[in-house]
Amino acid sequence: MSISPKTAIYPGSFDPITLGHMDVIDRAIKIFDKVVLTVATHRDKSPLFDLEERIDMIRESTNKFEKVEVTSSEGLIVDFAEEKGAVALIRGLRFVSDIEFEFQLAWMNRNLNAEIITVFLMTDARYTHLNSSIIREVTTLGGNVDNFVTPYVSQKLKEKLNK
Ligand code: ADP
């Protein structure tokens, strides 16, 4: 009996990608044969980095992972997942407060398409307080975020925010 390869979609704003996202990717590729990171463009109306910049930073940060594909998508994420033949959506969990919003989203996605299973992955304790907006804020104020993003992303943040 042959087992078909399993693909998962990891959607997000990734404005920019952080080591918290990377930690979730690290875990996801241990479970799935392919992980498609998609920058969901409808969610944020005024991102710091435009779509191409975000995709470029994700590619640079994940090019060591053969199983990772990077793209963007509009519209319903379950429709995108179906198009890609994916079986799952990956979401990262930091702390209990993430759960309320994440459950709403997962519940609605299950109602929209019961075949696509949401998988929650808990991040490493070092990244539980990390999100992209705090990274943007700290960089604007001249703080060092090198422990929380890749060197490439750190450079791009400095170029963008500390001109
Ligand atoms: P953010 O919440 O940082 O703006 P995104 O919209 O890019 O992030 O998030 C995409 C997914 O990654 C969400 O499921 C979010 O909970 C998860 N995520 C974001 N930051 C982290 C982190 N530090 N650890 C684990 N998961 C995270």
Side-chain angles (χ1 to χ4, degrees), residues 26-103:
D26 254 329
R27 292 169 204 280
I29 58 176
K30 292 191 176 114
I31 308 174
F32 295 96
D33 301 296
K34 187 161 132 192
V35 175
V36 180
L37 263 80
T38 183
V39 181
T41 52
H42 60 283
R43 279 180 51 200
D44 42 356
K45 291 184 187 76
S46 50
L48 174 64
F49 291 101
D50 67 27
L51 182 58
E52 283 68 36
E53 291 172 315
R54 284 184 276 164
I55 288 179
D56 170 60
M57 286 184 284
I58 300 171
R59 288 217 168 106
E60 275 291 328
S61 307
T62 61
N63 58 15
K64 60 178 190 259
F65 301 122
E66 272 179 22
K67 292 175 164 188
V68 172
E69 182 185 311
V70 186
T71 186
S72 65
S73 57
E74 285 177 334
L76 290 176
I77 206 70
V78 287
D79 291 348
F80 176 74
E82 201 172 351
E83 243 170 66
K84 285 277 178 189
V87 294
L89 297 177
I90 303 290
R91 298 295 293 172
L93 287 182
R94 285 161 284 199
F95 24 58
V96 180
S97 54
D98 273 344
I99 289 180
E100 193 168 342
F101 172 69
E102 291 293 341
F103 270 38

Side-chain angles (χ1 to χ4, degrees), residues 10-15 18 20-21 24 43 91-94 98 102 123 127 130-132:
Y10 182 19
S13 319
F14 305 108
D15 188 29
T18 69
H21 295 123
V24 170
R43 279 180 51 200
R91 298 295 293 172
L93 287 182
R94 285 161 284 199
D98 273 344
E102 291 293 341
T123 190
Y127 308 126
L130 181 57
N131 62 50
S132 299

Side-chain angles (χ1 to χ4, degrees), residues 13-18 21 48 94 129-141 145 157 161:
S13 319
F14 305 108
D15 188 29
I17 186 166
T18 69
H21 295 123
L48 174 64
R94 285 161 284 199
H129 297 282
L130 181 57
N131 62 50
S132 299
S133 70
I134 204 157
I135 290 293
R136 296 193 299 269
E137 182 76 22
V138 169
T139 311
T140 310
L141 299 171
V145 293
L157 276 160
L161 292 168

